[in-house]
């Protein structure tokens, strides 16, 4: 292809007309790949360019457009800017596109314009109309592309077998046209050029004649003598070869039959036959048979027999000659005046031949005493001496009566039966010389079909005569078909092709004729997709079998003969569908999830991966392996048990995602994968970690002017665990200071607030021992931290405070159990209970209303404040279903969300 490309692509431009005419002519070979340059319209039309640059560089740029919408546009691509014309992806096939006629073949949407350089009669043209724009360069260009032929088609004979008949007397140099010459779609020298024979047997050759239209016809030439009687047929191969480089060839089988002519005459094997007969022979007695042969065929080999004119009329009247078979029989009774020697000259006549001659000498022996006579009278059906009996006829079935007598009526005649068979000849009393022929047991056609017996009669002088009787047994439908196997065991691989052959059933029937013709049928229990050919017994399956759907099939087949009534037999077909590895291992779930407590011991059982394979045997064996994370996890390939090699820590990694591959034992092996998610369940193995205050030696200045309820500081802690194990509660378990109960801590947030106003005697250092505890199970873990608060207006002596902090605090630890949080709902009730008191006091003491009212308000306010403090001192129970984010390190209340 590269050589063709270099040879024909380069010089394409030289075929273009360089005049300013609106018609361009190109030529190219068929079968070129896409992208081959055919020509440049801009260059070949000599259109102006900007300083020799690309046509698109003009302002306005040139534009090339295909105006026609014909078949030819499928095979070319036109660059709208450059005007270059290339081959398209659709390959050009000259033989498919062009229909040869007397003129050029045109493919396209426009008719050919007149041109001085008109294409040759063998041209195959693609016509294109191209518009050149803009207006100042406008023109309509007619583009003609001639498709050149390449030798891409081999000669092909229209028929695979060619028969030719040659008479055997054809002279040398006889020419016979071969009626089916080879065809080649290619043109010129690429078409058929020569013919030859693979084997000419030394008597044939080929010649080629070309007519005015250029068609080449092969002729068979006889080069030697032919003789049909020596060889009647020659089979060879005729080969046609084109003129391409390299040449391509095609072939067909040539059978040369030698037809017969009448070039042989009849011939007798012997020139004379000697025959002797008795003078008392009965009419129709066979005398002799003459037979001549002719090696020709058909009508050329027909032979008739006749007496020569030299045969006397007396001999003609006494002996009859069958002109077709050559059989000579006794035609009339021999009397005392008949000659004792007859010379019969018989001619064997063939068409256009001199008759062959044979002489039959018949000698008649004179008999002084007449032999006994046997006169049959048939009871059973008899035709031309043959008795027909049905098989299974009962015992003692009568066949015929025989009357035995002596023509001279002076000799005693006896009679007996000669021959084998179930027959008996016995005297039929009370009559004399009457005998009955009957059967002695049932006849069986399948054992013997024809019996030949003789009824022999002889007199006391020793003369005897035979009467031959032939008994033909007629078949009856008394045998059922018999399968060669009663159980037909078959096997076939699953996924078989449709209509796959299974076996050929064979059943025999001993009966003859139609009674022995066997037809095959499927039993009622056979699935519909099995087929059994009625005539041949070929068993097929019309669909693909799937062992996983059904492994074994068992159904009956019938063999039925054509007798009346028909007889049948039944066999069983057992089919085993063999397994193929067509099923990949299948996991029960595509995704497995296992929840494992952290610190789970190494090589402990995490879970079982269940996988199945519908195939059988080795194809169903499944091996499991871990595709990732094999340095931590292992899997028991037999049981599917997943284990971890080391103990797992949730705080280091809370979950693992593994991919498990299951590979079966087939060849080639099939596989599948499943996703395994291992989630580590938290256990309470981490106490809370206090992040603030950072040291037990730190302190905070609290001004005496701080209002009650103001936040002072906070304790902030986190827990690496999760769930309830990470829910933190804060409590003060030890206090020391002038009035240590002045401070309280929020159990949920850890915020420390001032409870009561600070007085002058409350100045000094307060040390609060805060317990930070989680809600872990079964045993919560905790940490403690010392919160130091210095109540004063200023910090004038830091060293003094630090010396106080270095002293071991004397703190009594009094830890309270967490109390259930109760909303302060009774505050409203208390407040509401004061109103009736005020109203009553105002009614009773109208005189001292101001004093009583003031006292009542003071009492109510004190009670409400006391209840408010009691409610705030209650510790709030933390929700059980909560989880604190370990990453919240800011000093703000933690959000609690569901696990």
């Amino acid at each position: 292809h590269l050589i063709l490309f270099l040879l024909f692509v380069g010089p394409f431009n030289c075929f273009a007309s360089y005049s300013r005419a609106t018609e361009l002519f190109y030529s190219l070979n068929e079968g070129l790949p896409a992208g081959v340059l055919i020509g440049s319209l801009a260059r070949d039309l000599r259109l102006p360019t900007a300083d020799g640059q690309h046509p698109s560089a003009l302002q306005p740029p040139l534009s090339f457009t295909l105006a026609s919408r014909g078949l030819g546009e499928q095979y070319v691509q036109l660059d709208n800017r450059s005007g270059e014309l290339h081959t398209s992806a659709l390959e050009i096939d000259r033989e498919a596109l062009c229909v040869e006629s007397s003129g050029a073949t045109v493919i396209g949407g426009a008719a050919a314009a007149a041109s001085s350089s008109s294409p040759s009669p063998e041209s195959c043209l693609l016509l294109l109309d191209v518009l050149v724009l803009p207006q100042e360069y406008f023109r309509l260009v007619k583009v003609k592309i001639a498709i050149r032929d390449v030798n891409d088609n081999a000669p092909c004979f229209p028929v695979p077998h060619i028969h030719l008949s040659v008479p055997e007397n054809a002279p040398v140099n006889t020419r016979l046209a071969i009626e089916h010459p080879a065809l080649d779609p290619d043109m010129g020298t690429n078409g058929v050029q020569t013919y030859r024979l693979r084997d000419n047997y030394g008597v044939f050759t080929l010649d080629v004649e070309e007519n005015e239209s250029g068609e080449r016809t092969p002729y068979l030439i006889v080069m030697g003598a032919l003789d049909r009687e020596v060889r009647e047929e020659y089979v060879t191969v005729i080969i046609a070869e084109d003129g391409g480089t390299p040449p391509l060839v095609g072939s067909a089988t040539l059978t040369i039959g030698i037809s017969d002519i009448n070039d042989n005459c009849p011939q007798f094997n012997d020139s004379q036959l000697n025959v002797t007969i008795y003078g008392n022979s009965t009419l129709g007695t066979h005398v002799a048979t003459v037979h001549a042969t002719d090696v020709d065929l058909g009508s050329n080999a027909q032979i008739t027999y006749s007496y020569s004119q030299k045969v006397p009329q007396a001999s003609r009247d006494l002996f009859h000659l069958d002109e077709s078979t050559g059989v000579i029989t006794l035609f009339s009774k021999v009397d005392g005046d008949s000659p004792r020697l007859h010379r019969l000259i018989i001619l064997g006549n063939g068409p256009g031949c001199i008759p062959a001659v044979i002489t039959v000498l018949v000698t008649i022996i004179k008999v002084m005493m007449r032999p006994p006579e046997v006169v049959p009278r048939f009871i059973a059906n008899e035709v031309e001496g043959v008795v027909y009996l049905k098989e299974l006829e009962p015992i003692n079935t009568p066949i015929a009566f025989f009357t035995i007598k002596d023509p001279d009526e002076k000799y005693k005649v006896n009679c007996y039966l000669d021959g084998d068979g179930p027959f008996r000849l016995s005297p039929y009393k009370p009559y004399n010389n009457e005998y009955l022929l009957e059967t002695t047991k049932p006849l069986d056609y399948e054992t013997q079909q024809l019996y030949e017996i003789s009824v022999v009669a002889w007199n006391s002088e020793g003369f005897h005569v035979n009467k031959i009787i032939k008994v033909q047994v007629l078949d009856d439908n008394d045998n059922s078909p018999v399968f060669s196997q009663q159980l037909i065991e078959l096997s076939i691989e699953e996924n078989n092709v449709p209509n796959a052959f299974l076996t050929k059933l064979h059943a025999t029937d001993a009966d003859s004729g139609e009674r022995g013709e066997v037809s095959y049928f499927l039993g009622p229990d056979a699935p519909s997709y099995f087929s059994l050919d009625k005539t041949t017994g070929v068993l097929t399956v019309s669909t693909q079998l799937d062992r996983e759907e059904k492994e074994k099939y068992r159904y009956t087949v019938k063999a039925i003969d054509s007798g009346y009534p028909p007889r049948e037999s039944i066999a069983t077909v057992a089919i085993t569908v063999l397994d193929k590895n067509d099923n990949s291992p299948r996991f029960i779930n595509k995704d497995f999830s296992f929840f494992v407590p952290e610190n789970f011991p190494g090589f402990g059982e995490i879970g079982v991966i269940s996988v199945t394979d519908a195939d059988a045997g080795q194809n169903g064996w499944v091996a499991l392996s871990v595709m990732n994370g094999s340095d931590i996890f292992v899997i028991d390939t037999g049981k599917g048990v997943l284990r971890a090699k080391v103990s797992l820590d949730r705080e280091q990694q809370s979950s693992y995602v593994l991919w498990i591959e299951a590979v079966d034992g087939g060849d080639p092996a099939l596989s599948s994968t499943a996703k395994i998610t291992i989630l580590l369940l938290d256990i309470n193995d981490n106490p809370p970690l206090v992040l603030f205050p950072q040291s037990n030696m730190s302190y905070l200045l609290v001004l005496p002017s701080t209002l009650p309820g103001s936040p002072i500081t906070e304790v902030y802690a986190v827990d690496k665990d999760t769930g309830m194990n990470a829910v933190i509660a804060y409590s003060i378990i030890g206090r020391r200071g002038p009035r240590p109960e002045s401070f309280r801590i929020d159990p949920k947030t850890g915020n420390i607030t001032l409870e009561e106003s600070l007085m002058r005697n409350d100045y000094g250092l307060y040390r609060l021992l805060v317990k930070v505890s989680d809600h872990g199970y079964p045993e919560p873990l905790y940490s403690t931290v010392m919160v130091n608060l210095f109540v004063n207006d200023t910090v004038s002596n830091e060293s003094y405070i630090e010396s106080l902090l270095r002293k071991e605090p004397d703190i009594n630890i009094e830890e309270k159990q967490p109390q259930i949080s109760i909303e302060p709902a009774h505050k409203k009730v208390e407040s509401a209970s004061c109103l009736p008191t005020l109203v009553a006091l105002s009614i009773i003491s109208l005189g001292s209303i101001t004093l009583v009212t003031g006292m009542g308000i003071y009492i109510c306010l004190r009670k409400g404040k006391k209840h408010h403090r009691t409610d705030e001192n209650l510790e709030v129970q933390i929700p059980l279903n909560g989880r604190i984010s370990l990453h919240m390190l800011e000093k703000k209340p933690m959000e609690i969300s569901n696990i």
Side-chain angles (χ1 to χ4, degrees):
H1 291 87
L2 179 60
I3 295 175
L4 290 174
F5 181 82
L6 295 176
L7 287 176
F8 296 110
V9 172
F12 281 157
N13 298 333
C14 66
F15 291 103
S17 174
Y18 288 92
S19 69
R20 294 186 57 84
T22 57
E23 182 176 287
L24 293 177
F25 178 74
Y26 299 100
S27 64
L28 77 160
N29 290 345
E30 63 173 327
L32 293 178
V36 175
L37 178 64
I38 300 174
S40 174
L41 301 185
R43 182 185 60 200
D44 297 339
L45 292 173
R46 300 181 180 177
L47 295 176
T49 59
D51 299 330
Q53 298 178 1
H54 198 273
S56 60
L58 288 175
Q59 294 297 329
L62 289 177
S63 173
F64 300 86
T65 306
L66 287 173
S68 58
R69 290 292 182 265
L71 180 63
E73 293 186 25
Q74 304 178 22
Y75 301 98
V76 297
Q77 288 183 338
L78 177 63
D79 190 309
N80 294 336
R81 293 298 182 186
S82 67
E84 291 184 348
L85 199 61
H86 296 82
T87 56
S88 69
L90 184 60
E91 184 178 288
I92 299 176
D93 185 358
R94 186 184 188 280
E95 290 73 33
L97 292 176
C98 300
V99 179
E100 301 303 333
S101 60
S102 58
T105 301
V106 177
I107 295 127
S115 174
S116 60
S117 58
S118 59
S120 66
E122 294 183 353
S123 296
C124 174
L125 298 179
L126 291 178
L127 296 187
L128 305 173
D129 290 345
V130 180
L131 293 176
V132 182
L133 295 174
Q135 184 66 32
E136 52 266 32
Y137 304 109
F138 172 78
R139 67 181 67 188
L140 176 64
V141 182
K142 298 286 187 177
V143 179
K144 295 182 181 180
I145 303 175
I147 310 302
R148 291 196 297 264
D149 183 50
V150 298
N151 191 28
D152 58 345
N153 292 280
C156 179
F157 286 90
V159 293
H161 299 279
I162 302 174
H163 296 272
L164 191 64
S165 179
V166 180
E168 62 177 329
N169 63 342
V172 176
N173 294 327
T174 298
R175 300 171 65 88
L176 299 169
I178 297 176
E179 296 182 354
H180 301 285
L183 305 176
D184 193 327
D186 296 324
M187 293 291 297
T189 58
N190 292 332
V192 178
Q193 299 297 316
T194 61
Y195 292 86
R196 67 178 186 273
L197 295 176
R198 180 171 295 174
D199 187 358
N200 57 20
Y201 297 98
V203 292
F204 299 106
T205 189
L206 288 178
D207 190 16
V208 179
E209 292 186 2
E210 184 174 356
N211 57 18
E212 296 179 355
S213 62
E215 296 180 352
R216 295 174 179 266
T217 303
Y219 281 81
L220 182 71
I221 302 177
V222 179
M223 300 298 294
L226 304 176
D227 188 351
R228 189 205 63 81
E229 288 73 34
V230 176
R231 185 165 186 168
E232 62 181 3
E233 185 180 74
Y234 296 87
V235 179
T236 185
V237 175
I238 181 172
I239 300 173
E241 184 176 304
D242 63 21
T245 304
L248 303 177
V249 298
S251 63
T253 301
L254 177 62
T255 301
I256 306 170
I258 309 302
S259 59
D260 184 57
I261 62 170
N262 191 25
D263 57 346
N264 292 280
C265 291
Q267 291 182 353
F268 288 105
N269 293 332
D270 299 314
S271 60
Q272 180 174 310
L273 289 178
N274 297 320
V275 180
T276 300
I277 63 172
Y278 290 99
N280 61 351
S281 298
T282 58
L283 299 181
T285 299
H286 178 268
V287 177
T289 299
V290 294
H291 179 71
T293 58
D294 191 328
V295 293
D296 290 327
L297 293 176
S299 60
N300 294 330
Q302 289 184 351
I303 301 174
T304 59
Y305 302 93
S306 63
Y307 284 125
S308 172
Q309 295 181 355
K310 298 179 180 180
V311 177
Q313 189 61 42
S315 298
R316 293 170 181 261
D317 295 338
L318 186 61
F319 301 102
H320 175 263
L321 174 63
D322 189 302
E323 66 176 7
S324 298
T325 63
V327 176
I328 304 172
T329 57
L330 186 63
F331 187 69
S332 60
K333 190 173 182 179
V334 179
D335 55 25
D337 298 331
S338 298
R340 299 302 175 211
L341 180 62
H342 296 265
R343 187 181 184 87
L344 306 178
I345 301 175
I346 300 175
L347 305 179
N349 305 295
C353 290
I354 299 175
V357 180
I358 188 172
T359 301
V360 179
L361 295 178
V362 181
T363 302
I364 301 176
I365 300 176
K366 184 177 181 179
V367 178
M368 301 301 297
M369 182 186 304
R370 289 185 293 176
E373 294 182 359
V374 178
V375 180
R377 289 171 294 168
F378 292 98
I379 303 172
N381 183 27
E382 179 267 339
V383 177
E384 295 182 355
V386 180
V387 177
Y388 295 91
L389 290 178
K390 289 185 177 181
E391 65 174 334
L392 303 181
E393 288 281 2
I395 300 175
N396 300 326
T397 297
I399 299 174
F401 279 113
F402 290 91
T403 301
I404 310 299
K405 60 182 180 179
D406 181 17
D408 297 329
E409 298 182 353
K410 58 181 180 181
Y411 299 103
K412 182 181 178 181
V413 179
N414 294 315
C415 182
Y416 67 93
L417 187 64
D418 186 22
D420 297 328
F423 305 103
R424 177 176 57 217
L425 183 65
S426 58
Y428 190 74
K429 297 180 180 180
Y431 303 103
N432 293 326
N433 298 328
E434 294 287 343
Y435 293 86
L436 176 64
L437 179 62
E438 58 186 353
T439 61
T440 59
K441 63 180 181 178
L443 303 177
D444 187 0
Y445 175 86
E446 288 72 36
T447 302
Q448 187 170 345
Q449 295 86 36
L450 181 65
Y451 295 90
E452 186 172 311
I453 56 178
S454 297
V455 177
V456 181
W458 82 99
N459 58 19
S460 57
E461 296 298 322
F463 287 94
H464 64 274
V465 64
N466 294 342
K467 182 63 178 178
I468 298 175
I469 306 297
K470 293 183 178 180
V471 179
Q472 176 67 54
V473 182
L474 300 178
D475 188 29
D476 200 359
N477 193 31
D478 60 337
N479 291 278
S480 298
V482 178
F483 280 100
S484 56
Q485 293 176 284
Q486 286 300 310
L487 177 60
I488 304 164
E489 296 181 321
L490 308 172
S491 63
I492 183 174
E493 279 194 344
E494 62 176 331
N495 304 330
N496 55 281
V497 297
N499 300 316
F501 173 83
L502 292 175
T503 189
K504 183 176 182 180
L505 303 181
H506 181 66
T508 57
D509 193 318
D511 295 323
S512 64
E514 293 183 353
R515 292 170 293 274
E517 294 178 359
V518 179
S519 300
Y520 302 90
F521 301 92
L522 291 172
D525 55 343
S528 60
Y529 39 83
F530 288 95
S531 301
L532 180 58
D533 190 279
K534 175 182 177 181
T535 305
T536 62
V538 173
L539 181 63
T540 57
V541 56
S542 61
T543 187
Q544 282 190 347
L545 299 180
D546 187 356
R547 189 205 65 83
E548 290 71 36
E549 181 179 340
K550 189 172 183 180
E551 183 177 6
K552 292 184 180 296
Y553 295 86
R554 190 180 183 93
Y555 53 86
T556 58
V557 290
K558 295 181 181 180
I560 304 177
D561 63 22
S562 302
Y564 183 80
R567 301 173 69 97
E568 67 178 40
S569 62
I570 297 176
T572 301
V573 175
I575 301 176
T576 300
V577 182
L578 304 179
D579 184 55
K580 291 182 69 176
N581 192 29
D582 59 342
N583 289 277
S584 301
R586 182 177 181 182
F587 290 92
I588 293 180
N589 300 311
K590 294 303 292 182
D591 294 325
F592 291 84
S593 295
F594 297 107
F595 295 87
V596 181
E598 64 174 328
N599 301 330
F600 193 69
F603 292 97
E605 181 177 324
I606 296 176
V608 177
I609 312 299
S610 298
V611 62
T612 61
D613 194 315
D615 293 322
Q618 185 173 346
N619 294 333
W621 295 349
V622 179
L624 298 174
S625 61
V626 180
M627 300 176 64
N628 62 324
S630 59
D631 55 338
I632 301 177
F633 298 94
V634 293
I635 190 167
D636 188 333
T637 186
K639 298 180 180 180
V641 177
L642 182 64
R643 306 177 190 274
K645 299 179 183 178
V646 296
S647 178
L648 304 178
D649 187 357
R650 190 201 65 80
E651 285 71 39
Q652 293 183 1
Q653 186 170 343
S654 61
S655 65
Y656 296 87
V657 177
L658 304 179
W659 289 96
I660 303 297
E661 181 182 35
V663 181
D664 62 23
D667 185 17
L670 301 178
S671 64
S672 61
T673 58
K675 180 182 178 182
I676 311 297
T677 302
I678 302 173
L679 300 173
L680 297 183
L681 301 177
D682 183 53
I683 63 173
N684 195 26
D685 59 346
N686 290 282
L689 176 62
V690 178
L691 300 179
F692 185 85
Q694 298 179 354
S695 170
N696 289 334
M697 301 299 292
S698 63
Y699 66 93
L700 180 68
L701 175 66
V702 179
L703 298 177
S705 60
T706 303
L707 297 177
S710 299
I712 303 301
T713 185
E714 69 172 345
V715 178
Y716 182 70
V718 295
D719 196 317
K720 294 182 180 179
D721 295 320
T722 186
M724 294 302 298
N725 296 331
V727 176
I728 298 174
Y730 301 88
S731 62
I732 299 175
I733 61 173
R735 303 170 185 263
R736 184 174 179 83
R739 190 154 57 96
E741 65 274 3
S742 300
F743 300 95
R744 68 178 295 272
I745 188 167
D746 189 295
K748 292 189 293 183
T749 64
N751 292 332
I752 298 176
T753 58
L754 179 64
E755 280 292 294
E756 298 176 354
S757 299
L758 297 173
M759 304 299 178
R760 172 63 60 179
N761 56 357
D762 294 336
Y763 285 19
L765 180 64
Y766 291 79
R767 309 197 72 177
L768 305 178
L769 181 60
V770 178
K771 178 180 180 181
V772 183
S773 176
D774 61 23
H775 283 64
Y777 179 83
E779 184 69 28
L781 302 179
Y782 66 91
S783 300
T784 59
V785 65
M786 187 69 72
V787 177
N788 302 303
L789 302 175
F790 184 66
V791 179
N792 201 6
D793 292 325
T794 61
V795 179
S796 59
N797 193 349
E798 291 186 3
S799 60
Y800 171 71
I801 299 174
E802 292 176 358
S803 64
L804 294 177
L805 294 176
R806 284 194 291 269
K807 294 181 180 180
E808 187 69 26
D810 185 12
I811 298 176
N812 295 326
I813 298 176
E814 297 179 358
E815 184 175 0
K816 297 181 181 179
Q817 294 295 330
Q819 300 181 13
I820 298 176
S821 175
I822 300 176
E823 292 292 335
H826 59 281
K827 175 181 178 181
K828 182 178 181 181
V829 178
E830 286 293 336
S831 300
S833 64
C834 295
L835 294 178
T837 304
L838 293 175
V839 174
L841 291 175
S842 63
I843 295 174
I844 297 171
S845 305
L846 292 176
S848 58
I849 187 171
T850 303
L851 179 63
V852 174
T853 303
M855 293 177 64
I857 292 172
Y858 177 77
I859 294 170
C860 290
L861 291 175
R862 293 291 293 176
K863 289 185 177 180
K865 185 175 181 180
K866 183 178 181 180
H867 285 289
H868 175 70
R869 291 179 180 177
T870 304
D871 294 337
E872 288 183 347
N873 285 329
L874 294 176
E875 292 186 1
V876 180
Q877 181 181 5
I878 297 175
L880 292 178
N881 293 329
R883 175 168 60 89
I884 298 176
S885 175
L886 299 179
H887 303 289
M888 292 182 59
L889 300 180
E890 298 181 2
K891 298 182 180 180
K892 58 177 68 176
M894 295 179 290
E895 289 187 7
I896 300 177
S897 61
N898 291 335
I899 297 178

